[in-house]
Amino acid sequence: MKTFCGRANPTTGALDWVEESEEYDYHQEIARVKVSIYILIMLDFFQNEKYYQGIREAVARLKARGEKVIVLDIGTGTGLLSMMAVTAGADFCYAVEVFKPMAEAAQSIVERNGFSDKIKIINKHSTDVTVGAGGDMPTRANLLITELFDTELIGEGALPSYEHAHQHLVQEGCEAVPHRATVYAQLVESELLWGWAQLQPMEVKGVRLLPPPAVSRCAGAHSVCDIQLSQVSPASFKPLSPLCTMFSVDFSKPVSSAFQSHSAQFVARCSGRGQVVLSWWDLHMDPRGDVVCTMAPSWTYPHQKRWRDHWMQSVYFLPEESKVTEGDDLCLTVCHDDYSLWYSLQDQQTEAPPPRPSCTCQAHLVWTRPRFGELNDGRRTESYVQALRSVLKEDAVCLSVSDGSLLPVFAHKLGAKKVYSLENSRMSKQLIEQKPEPTVSRLSQISVLMGEPYFSTSLLPWHSLFFWYCRTALSGLLRPDATILPCSASLHVVAVEFQDLWRIRARCGRCEGFDVTPMDEMVQRSLDFRESREAEPHPLWEYPCRALTQSATAMTFDFTQCVPSQPISCQGSLPLIRTGCCQGVALWMEYQLTDDITVSTGLTAPISEQGDCEWSRHRKQAVYFLRSPWQSSGDGRAAVSYSFTFEPDSGDIKMDFSISAL
C-alpha cells in the first residue's frame, strides 16, 4: 500500500505530506522513533536488575503456594521480561506486543534463546487478547508483568490496560511485577521553570512592558513538561514543601482508570511563591517494598549514576502563582484521569477537586515551553532591542516575519513609524497587539525587515532559513536601502563525546544473559532507511557532552541577498584536540543581527579547556551520530571531516562526516 509521511519543508515553513511508494516500509518510519526507547530500556541495567529480582521473588511465592505459574507480559518489547520469568521458573508466558516490527523481533529473540516452547508472542493490544478455548490464552494468568509506564507514569494508558487485564486476563489475587507505583511531588519557587509557563514583564527603552491581562490570568495548559530534571541545578529553585507522597497504585489488585484526586497536607518549609511542582515516581517490585526502582533526579542520590531517557521527571505548573509563608498549613492536590495528571495548591483540603486547567489566552497553544523561556530571556531580549535601536529611524516602516514574535512590540516602543507582522497562524496573530493591517499589496515600502527568526514548524536549526525565503519573496516591497535583521546566519559544528545520549544508538548484544541481537538488527534496518543518516533534533542542555574539537563556522547565509538559485557547498575538517570517544557532532545556527550583535541557538558560552559545553535551553540543536565512534588521543593527529550542501529547491542541508588519521 502507499503511505503518507510527514516531511518538514523549510522553504514553506510547513509540514508536507509525501506519498511514499508501495515498496516503502512504513514500519521503519515508526521504528525511527520507537527503537531508541527499546534500546534505552534494554540498556537500563539498574532497572532490569530490579525487574529480574522482583520476577524471581514473585515466581517463588506462587510456587510456594503450589500454583502453576502462568505469566501475562503486557508490552513485552523484546520479550526480555518473559525470558526472565521462564528462567526464574515460570511454566508459560503470554507476551503481548502491539507494535508489529517489535513483535517480530521479540519472536526472533525468543527463538534464538530457546524459549519458543515456553513463550507465546501475541501481536495485539492487550485489550484485544482473548481467553478461553480457541483464544489467545487458554486460561487467565496469575503473574502480571508490565513495562507500560512513561514519564508521567500513566501517560501511555497504563491504567486502562491494568483495568482491563484485571477484569479479563488475570486471576483474582494475582502477583504483579512491579507490585506498586508511588508518585511523589514537591512544591517549589523557580524563576527559571516558571518562565517556561508564563510571560514575564520586560524592559524596553526604560518602559516596563507587562504581558496582556488575558495571558497573565490564564491557567495555562495542564499537560506535563517532561525533562531531565537532573540537569536542572537545585540552585535554580527553592523548595517550599517537603517531598510529598501523593498516591500509590497497587497493580496486584483491580485498578480503576476513573477520575481520582489525592491530597497531601504539609507545613511550608520557607516563604516564597508557589509556582511549580516537581514530580517523579518509584516502582516497588515486591509487596514489602524492598526492591525499588526510582525515577528521582540524580541530585537526590549524588553518589550513584542512573541515567535513563525513556522515563524522566515531570514539571507541572500551577494554574496561578500563590504566596507561601513559612509555617503555613497547605494542601497540595493531584488529580488524574486515565492518561494525565494536574496539580493545585490550597490553604486547606476542600471537598471539590480542582478543575483541569485549560488555556484561555491561546498563548499556551501557540508557544511551547522552551519558546516561553526564550521570550523571557532578558539577555536575549536586550540583544534584539539594541540591534533594533541601532537600525531604526523616525520614518522606519518595519515588517516582522516570525511566529508569535515580540519584535513588532519592541519596534513600536522604540519609535518605528509603522510596524507590520506576518504570522503563519491566526492564533499567533491574535497574540501580538497591532493596528488593523492592510493587505500585503497595500504595504508601504519596508525599510526594516526583521525576524528572530522563529517558526513553530522548524524541527532542525536550519529550518528557520524559511526567513530567507520570505525575505526573497518580499524583495519587491523592500526599499533599496532596506535593513535586514538579522543580516546573516551561520551554521556551526563541533565534534563531541556524549555523557549518555550515545546510548540511543548503542548495540545491545546480550542483556541480562540473553541474546538480543535481533533487536540490534531491527535497529540497524531502521537506521539504514532514507532519512535516518541525517541529523536529528535534541535539546543538548539536557544531554551533556564534551567538545573534542574546536567549534567551526561551516556555512554562512547572507540575508541581504536573495536565496541563490544554485546549491552552496563547503568542506572542512575539525582536528580532535581532546581525548575521548567521538560519537557524533552537534550543529546549530547563529544569527548576526548587526555587525557586532549575534544571537546563538547553540553554544551560549566559550567551550572550556576541558571541553565542557553550555547550551541554549530555548532551541533544540541538531545531532549527527557517527556510524562508528572514534577513540580520540587528543593529539590532533585525527580529524572529523565534513561536507555540507545547501539545496535551495528544498531548503534543506545535506551533510556527511567521516573521521580519519592525519
Side-chain angles (χ1 to χ4, degrees):
M1 67 177 181
K2 293 188 177 181
T3 305
F4 285 93
C5 297
R7 304 277 182 249
N9 187 333
T11 65
T12 64
L15 185 68
D16 291 344
W17 290 94
V18 179
E19 184 182 55
E20 298 288 358
S21 68
E22 294 182 359
E23 290 74 27
Y24 181 76
D25 184 357
Y26 69 95
H27 290 299
Q28 298 306 325
E29 180 84 11
I30 304 172
R32 276 204 306 159
V33 179
K34 296 180 74 74
V35 290
S36 63
I37 298 175
Y38 290 119
I39 293 172
L40 293 173
I41 291 175
M42 298 287 283
L43 294 177
D44 192 338
F45 303 116
F46 178 81
Q47 170 191 309
N48 293 338
E49 176 187 338
K50 299 298 183 181
Y51 261 97
Y52 211 165
Q53 187 175 350
I55 289 170
R56 286 194 295 265
E57 293 185 9
V59 171
R61 287 193 296 272
L62 290 169
K63 291 287 187 180
R65 297 200 292 264
E67 298 182 33
K68 186 178 181 180
V69 181
I70 305 300
V71 178
L72 173 62
D73 178 5
I74 300 179
T76 192
T78 59
L80 176 64
L81 300 185
S82 288
M83 293 189 294
M84 288 180 180
V86 171
T87 304
D91 295 281
F92 201 85
C93 293
Y94 296 94
V96 182
E97 175 57 52
V98 69
F99 181 46
K100 185 177 180 180
M102 195 68 251
E104 293 172 349
Q107 185 66 53
S108 297
I109 291 171
V110 166
E111 292 173 358
R112 181 166 298 195
N113 287 275
F115 292 114
S116 297
D117 60 333
K118 291 291 187 76
I119 300 175
K120 177 183 179 181
I121 304 297
I122 303 173
N123 182 206
K124 288 184 176 181
H125 193 284
S126 64
T127 56
D128 295 326
V129 172
T130 56
V131 177
D136 299 307
M137 301 168 56
T139 184
R140 292 190 178 209
N142 58 358
L143 174 54
L144 176 59
I145 301 174
T146 63
E147 223 171 27
L148 296 173
F149 316 109
D150 71 343
T151 294
E152 204 172 12
L153 181 68
I154 66 173
E156 289 191 0
L159 295 182
S161 296
Y162 271 110
E163 184 176 45
H164 177 271
H166 277 284
Q167 291 173 353
H168 303 283
L169 305 177
V170 298
Q171 301 173 17
E172 183 178 355
C174 71
E175 293 282 345
V177 180
H179 180 82
R180 181 175 60 253
T182 302
V183 175
Y184 304 94
Q186 186 171 39
L187 176 69
V188 304
E189 172 188 319
S190 174
E191 181 179 351
L192 169 67
L193 299 179
W194 189 240
W196 295 350
Q198 295 292 342
L199 195 61
Q200 303 300 306
M202 55 190 70
E203 296 282 339
V204 177
K205 198 179 178 181
V207 178
R208 184 174 173 82
L209 299 180
L210 300 176
V215 176
S216 299
R217 293 193 299 263
C218 182
H222 85 278
S223 57
V224 65
C225 175
D226 54 340
I227 64 171
Q228 291 284 357
L229 200 54
S230 298
Q231 300 305 317
V232 177
S233 169
S236 64
F237 60 86
K238 180 199 296 186
L240 303 180
S241 77
L243 185 63
C244 301
T245 301
M246 299 308 301
F247 68 93
S248 294
V249 182
D250 188 337
F251 298 124
S252 68
K253 298 177 180 179
V255 172
S256 173
S257 61
F259 170 88
Q260 294 183 33
S261 66
H262 310 270
S263 296
Q265 306 279 347
F266 67 92
V267 176
R269 293 171 51 173
C270 59
S271 299
R273 296 170 295 162
Q275 300 169 323
V276 177
V277 175
L278 311 182
S279 180
W280 56 86
W281 44 269
D282 290 348
L283 292 178
H284 309 263
M285 298 298 179
D286 63 316
R288 298 185 309 276
D290 295 336
V291 184
V292 180
C293 183
T294 181
M295 304 304 123
S298 62
W299 32 260
T300 66
Y301 50 91
H303 302 298
Q304 300 182 49
K305 180 177 174 59
R306 302 173 191 165
W307 184 86
R308 55 175 58 92
D309 198 48
H310 50 292
W311 298 334
M312 295 185 282
Q313 297 79 41
S314 301
V315 173
Y316 297 90
F317 304 100
L318 293 178
E320 60 181 355
E321 183 179 272
S322 300
K323 181 180 179 181
V324 173
T325 303
E326 183 178 356
D328 283 350
D329 291 318
L330 298 174
C331 178
L332 186 63
T333 298
V334 61
C335 300
H336 71 79
D337 53 20
D338 50 349
Y339 282 91
S340 60
L341 285 72
W342 61 95
Y343 283 83
S344 63
L345 180 67
Q346 295 92 26
D347 292 333
Q348 58 185 359
Q349 186 169 358
T350 58
E351 293 185 3
R356 181 202 303 266
S358 61
C359 176
T360 57
C361 71
Q362 298 186 340
H364 301 88
L365 305 178
V366 172
W367 293 332
T368 63
R369 267 78 184 246
R371 179 60 171 162
F372 267 100
E374 186 169 55
L375 295 174
N376 286 323
D377 186 334
R379 288 188 301 178
R380 181 180 180 277
T381 295
E382 182 59 26
S383 294
Y384 279 97
V385 170
Q386 288 185 10
L388 283 171
R389 183 183 289 121
S390 69
V391 302
L392 288 180
K393 301 177 182 178
E394 291 184 359
D395 63 345
V397 177
C398 303
L399 174 60
S400 174
V401 181
S402 281
D403 287 353
S405 175
L406 298 180
L407 292 187
V409 178
F410 298 162
H412 171 69
K413 292 296 182 181
L414 291 171
K417 180 180 178 181
K418 291 182 180 180
V419 181
Y420 302 95
S421 178
L422 289 179
E423 297 287 346
N424 275 337
S425 74
R426 182 175 299 177
M427 285 192 295
S428 293
K429 177 177 178 293
Q430 292 173 354
L431 280 177
I432 309 302
E433 183 178 0
Q434 55 189 308
K435 298 178 181 179
E437 294 185 16
T439 62
V440 173
S441 61
R442 296 179 183 175
L443 279 173
S444 304
Q445 286 286 295
I446 303 303
S447 59
V448 178
L449 178 66
M450 56 188 180
E452 299 188 37
Y454 170 83
F455 303 100
S456 58
T457 53
S458 297
L459 301 177
L460 293 166
W462 46 90
H463 288 171
S464 289
L465 289 176
F466 176 52
F467 175 81
W468 200 10
Y469 289 84
C470 293
R471 176 260 181 270
T472 302
L474 295 167
S475 59
L477 297 175
L478 303 179
R479 295 180 184 175
D481 59 346
T483 297
I484 312 297
L485 188 156
C487 57
S488 65
S490 50
L491 176 66
H492 294 250
V493 59
V494 64
V496 297
E497 174 185 49
F498 289 107
Q499 180 175 300
D500 293 296
L501 190 62
W502 60 270
R503 299 174 191 270
I504 71 174
R505 289 293 178 269
R507 290 181 176 270
C508 300
R510 300 189 68 84
C511 182
E512 298 298 324
F514 303 106
D515 182 353
V516 294
T517 50
M519 170 70 177
D520 293 330
E521 294 165 1
M522 187 194 81
V523 170
Q524 194 56 52
R525 286 194 300 271
S526 73
L527 293 179
D528 285 340
F529 114 102
R530 184 178 70 191
E531 289 192 343
S532 60
R533 294 314 309 166
E534 298 181 358
E536 55 192 62
H538 290 283
L540 291 183
W541 74 268
E542 293 188 61
Y543 304 102
C545 59
R546 287 179 57 244
L548 301 183
T549 68
Q550 300 287 6
S551 63
T553 302
M555 302 187 81
T556 298
F557 310 94
D558 185 358
F559 293 161
T560 65
Q561 305 297 317
C562 292
V563 176
S565 58
Q566 298 299 318
I568 303 174
S569 298
C570 72
Q571 296 179 339
S573 63
L574 301 166
L576 291 161
I577 59 173
R578 297 184 181 90
T579 59
C581 183
C582 182
Q583 297 130 348
V585 296
L587 305 102
W588 68 98
M589 298 290 287
E590 293 189 1
Y591 297 101
Q592 290 70 50
L593 305 185
T594 63
D595 291 340
D596 56 355
I597 301 177
T598 300
V599 172
S600 174
T601 65
L603 288 175
T604 58
I607 298 171
S608 73
E609 287 295 324
Q610 295 74 33
D612 297 327
C613 301
E614 182 179 311
W615 298 98
S616 168
R617 297 177 185 267
H618 310 319
R619 305 273 184 110
K620 290 183 179 181
Q621 293 73 43
V623 174
Y624 185 103
F625 290 99
L626 299 173
R627 284 185 175 272
S628 300
W630 179 282
Q631 195 65 40
S632 167
S633 60
D635 56 9
R637 295 183 179 179
V640 179
S641 299
Y642 61 82
S643 64
F644 293 95
T645 299
F646 170 70
E647 300 181 343
D649 290 343
S650 66
D652 210 351
I653 295 178
K654 301 299 181 183
M655 61 192 68
D656 188 46
F657 295 90
S658 62
I659 302 182
S660 58
L662 300 177

